[in-house]
Amino acid sequence: MYEKVHLRLTILCAGITAAIMIIMSFSYLYISETGLHKNQFNSFKNDMNTITTNLEGQSVISMEWISKMEAQGNYSFYILDNGIPYLYNQLNTVPDTEYTLFQEALDIYNSQYAVSLSEPFSSFSPYFSFHMEYPFTSPSTGNDYYGCIIEMIKKNANLQIIVLSSLNPLEKQILIQRILFIMIDFFTVFLLGIFSWFFTGKLLKPILENQQKQAQFVASASHELRTPLAVILSSAECCREISPDGQAKFLNIIKQEGLRMSSLIDDMLLLSGSDSKKFPLRVKPVELDTLLLNIYEAFEPIAKEKSISLSLELPESSLPACSCDPDRIKQVISILLHNALSYTETGGFIKLYLSCQKEHFYISVTDNGIGISDEDKKRIFDRFYRVEKSRSTKGHFGLGLSIAYEIMKSHGGTIGVKDADLKGSTFYICIPN
Ligand code: ADP
């Protein structure tokens, strides 16, 4: 389930980003290619302008000049003098394919671009020149070219110059650019995929941990409920089989186990309420010294019964009122005292202490009991965690400290544990001032 959601989120996250990136890079490619074509055509037009001006200034078109122009601009020239191929073209015999190209360029010009003049060229004698540039695709080879027809009347000679420029180099440059972009896009999509996998994994981690905690909680709760339930069922069975006089013992067991189950269910409901943020706090100004005195008085007889000395240390000066839920704080201190009484041997002592510090009220419960190892200190606030299950007395489910932790969290306070001075442990809580 988690893997499926992880994969889907990765695809969604990487997919959307990749789509935006691909659209952007294709738009860039389109703009850049259009610009390249435009620049190339403009540069071709400029060259043709220069060539025409040059031709106008020359009384004789020299062969050197034509070869120089061809080499410079990567152009091909074909000159017709009164319809007859110029000497240059006669000497440098034009290959058939190139001749076909010139013919095609001329045909396309005549059919699509030729300007119809009101009078024939010869009537502009002694001097006239005109040029027209246009892109075209050769019908025979399928290659793209820029073509230019220069019409010129010179000393009654009607010159027609066809100039061709192949677009192959430009198209090659565009192709390389496209391949480069596609490769960059592929690489970026790959990187995006990896990044999204880790990113969504990090996002989902708390959800996964929560899910695992929930599953662990349900498993532990079922396990804890099974024991008293088994005792209740077997006691009920015994009740059926024995005489009414002996039933009282089993009925008492059923009642005790029922109460145990009820207290466990109360604890679980409280924790699930804190998980779903339905943990109502009735905050009001509380005099903590009075609250602690009441708790001390309630626990004193129990401590006496176990021959444990319970003492209370309060500050001498009066304290400011503390904003908290008195019932919840009482619950936390009761959990700590209950634990201290459970894990301290007969003859030991427990100290309840209150002080008001700059930023918080500090309450601690110190015992000289069995103490807690550093390893266990990290885990005792986990739900259902008990140090050596056999060590805990009946009625301890390992939920007390996790409830205390949630209550302190909801108050914006803290709870912690440290070793006591000689032996045992000190649990402390801090309530914001
Ligand atoms: P429990 O209901 O089992 O006491 P808690 O969540 O209150 O559960 O405590 C978790 C565990 O921490 C206990 O099982 C116990 O092993 C240990 N513990 C808590 N308080 C003390 C203490 N004062 N001295 C020693 N061990 C303690």
Side-chain angles (χ1 to χ4, degrees):
M1 169 71 182
Y2 167 78
E3 287 300 319
K4 233 181 185 176
V5 174
H6 190 188
L7 189 71
R8 277 188 192 168
L9 265 180
T10 304
I11 293 171
L12 191 79
C13 188
I16 292 174
T17 327
I20 295 171
M21 190 199 68
I22 289 169
I23 291 172
M24 277 171 67
S25 62
F26 274 92
S27 310
Y28 172 79
L29 260 185
Y30 174 77
I31 294 167
S32 140
E33 284 178 18
T34 318
L36 274 174
H37 273 290
K38 216 170 159 182
N39 286 348
Q40 180 94 350
F41 192 53
N42 282 341
S43 138
F44 178 72
K45 271 165 120 177
N46 284 342
D47 283 358
M48 292 309 108
N49 231 349
T50 319
I51 286 171
T52 312
T53 321
N54 253 320
L55 281 170
E56 281 167 5
Q58 289 179 47
S59 49
V60 177
I61 303 173
S62 74
M63 280 189 268
E64 286 83 14
W65 182 84
I66 298 174
S67 336
K68 208 173 110 190
M69 287 295 114
E70 280 195 328
Q72 243 177 27
N74 216 355
Y75 301 134
S76 308
F77 278 69
Y78 194 77
I79 305 171
L80 291 168
D81 188 356
N82 289 324
I84 303 157
Y86 200 58
L87 189 63
Y88 173 80
N89 291 117
Q90 283 173 13
L91 289 176
N92 301 291
T93 26
V94 180
D96 279 354
T97 45
E98 209 166 307
Y99 178 76
T100 319
L101 261 177
F102 284 122
Q103 201 53 55
E104 284 171 355
L106 198 58
D107 291 347
I108 288 171
Y109 166 74
N110 285 331
S111 62
Q112 294 178 28
Y113 301 101
V115 185
S116 58
L117 299 169
S118 49
E119 294 172 67
F121 276 117
S122 48
S123 63
F124 292 102
S125 180
Y127 183 83
F128 174 79
S129 91
F130 161 87
H131 61 100
M132 156 77 79
E133 294 80 19
Y134 54 95
F136 79 96
T137 306
S138 156
S140 59
T141 60
N143 290 336
D144 296 320
Y145 295 89
Y146 287 145
C148 173
I149 305 290
I150 305 170
E151 303 268 13
M152 198 170 271
I153 305 285
K154 243 182 173 186
K155 294 182 188 152
N156 293 328
N158 188 356
L159 286 179
Q160 195 168 39
I161 302 152
I162 307 162
V163 187
L164 288 185
S165 168
S166 170
L167 288 185
N168 268 355
L170 178 72
E171 280 168 357
K172 212 169 163 188
Q173 187 189 344
I174 287 174
L175 188 72
I176 291 171
Q177 186 172 292
R178 280 183 190 176
I179 292 172
L180 217 75
F181 260 79
I182 289 170
M183 277 165 68
I184 291 171
D185 279 359
F186 265 115
F187 184 64
T188 318
V189 169
F190 173 71
L191 283 184
L192 267 174
I194 295 177
F195 171 76
S196 305
W197 178 262
F198 283 109
F199 180 68
T200 49
K202 265 203 176 315
L203 274 182
L204 287 175
K205 206 175 164 200
I207 298 171
L208 178 70
E209 280 172 0
N210 205 29
Q211 201 185 27
Q212 284 167 347
K213 269 189 191 164
Q214 292 283 342
Q216 177 69 35
F217 183 73
V218 171
S220 306
S222 320
H223 180 77
E224 293 297 337
L225 282 169
R226 196 180 288 150
T227 318
L229 204 62
V231 176
I232 289 172
L233 288 174
S234 61
S235 300
E237 195 60 35
C238 290
C239 271
R240 276 196 337 158
E241 285 165 11
I242 59 166
S243 62
D245 296 343
Q247 281 180 355
K249 183 183 147 201
F250 290 104
L251 286 174
N252 195 34
I253 292 174
I254 290 173
K255 188 184 168 194
Q256 290 306 319
E257 291 303 315
L259 286 173
R260 224 161 85 79
M261 280 177 78
S262 160
S263 109
L264 175 58
I265 288 165
D266 283 349
D267 286 353
M268 291 195 306
L269 282 176
L270 197 139
L271 282 172
S272 83
S274 90
D275 287 345
S276 54
K277 310 273 178 237
K278 286 181 211 143
F279 196 73
L281 281 186
R282 287 183 202 93
V283 177
K284 54 183 175 190
V286 177
E287 285 174 4
L288 282 180
D289 41 6
T290 314
L291 184 94
L292 253 70
L293 203 63
N294 290 339
I295 299 172
Y296 169 77
E297 279 167 4
F299 274 85
E300 230 263 294
I302 312 169
K304 211 174 225 169
E305 205 176 288
K306 293 186 85 180
S307 304
I308 292 171
S309 115
L310 178 66
S311 62
L312 170 67
E313 193 181 326
L314 296 173
E316 279 170 14
S317 53
S318 65
L319 294 177
C322 167
S323 288
C324 63
D325 182 331
D327 293 334
R328 295 291 186 204
I329 295 298
K330 195 172 168 184
Q331 192 177 358
V332 173
I333 301 167
S334 301
I335 289 169
L336 299 182
L337 279 175
H338 215 277
N339 278 347
L341 284 167
S342 303
Y343 303 110
T344 303
E345 290 113 22
T346 311
F349 68 81
I350 298 168
K351 280 181 194 160
L352 186 55
Y353 170 83
L354 165 70
S355 72
C356 176
Q357 297 179 359
K358 212 173 170 191
E359 284 161 358
H360 55 250
F361 293 94
Y362 177 89
I363 300 171
S364 68
V365 177
T366 303
D367 64 57
N368 66 342
I370 54 175
I372 305 165
S373 72
D374 287 344
E375 200 50 44
D376 288 322
K377 276 193 197 98
K378 292 177 202 154
R379 300 194 57 196
I380 50 171
F381 295 99
D382 290 352
R383 292 170 191 190
F384 290 108
Y385 184 78
R386 279 174 289 184
V387 180
E388 283 178 49
K389 299 212 170 178
S390 55
R391 223 171 77 173
S392 293
T393 54
K394 227 178 168 200
H396 285 255
F397 302 105
L399 288 180
L401 289 178
S402 45
I403 291 173
Y405 175 83
E406 293 300 337
I407 293 174
M408 291 318 299
K409 200 168 93 177
S410 65
H411 274 86
T414 52
I415 182 166
V417 62
K418 56 188 179 189
D419 290 330
D421 282 345
L422 294 169
K423 184 180 172 249
S425 24
T426 297
F427 280 87
Y428 58 88
I429 59 168
C430 300
I431 313 166
N433 204 338

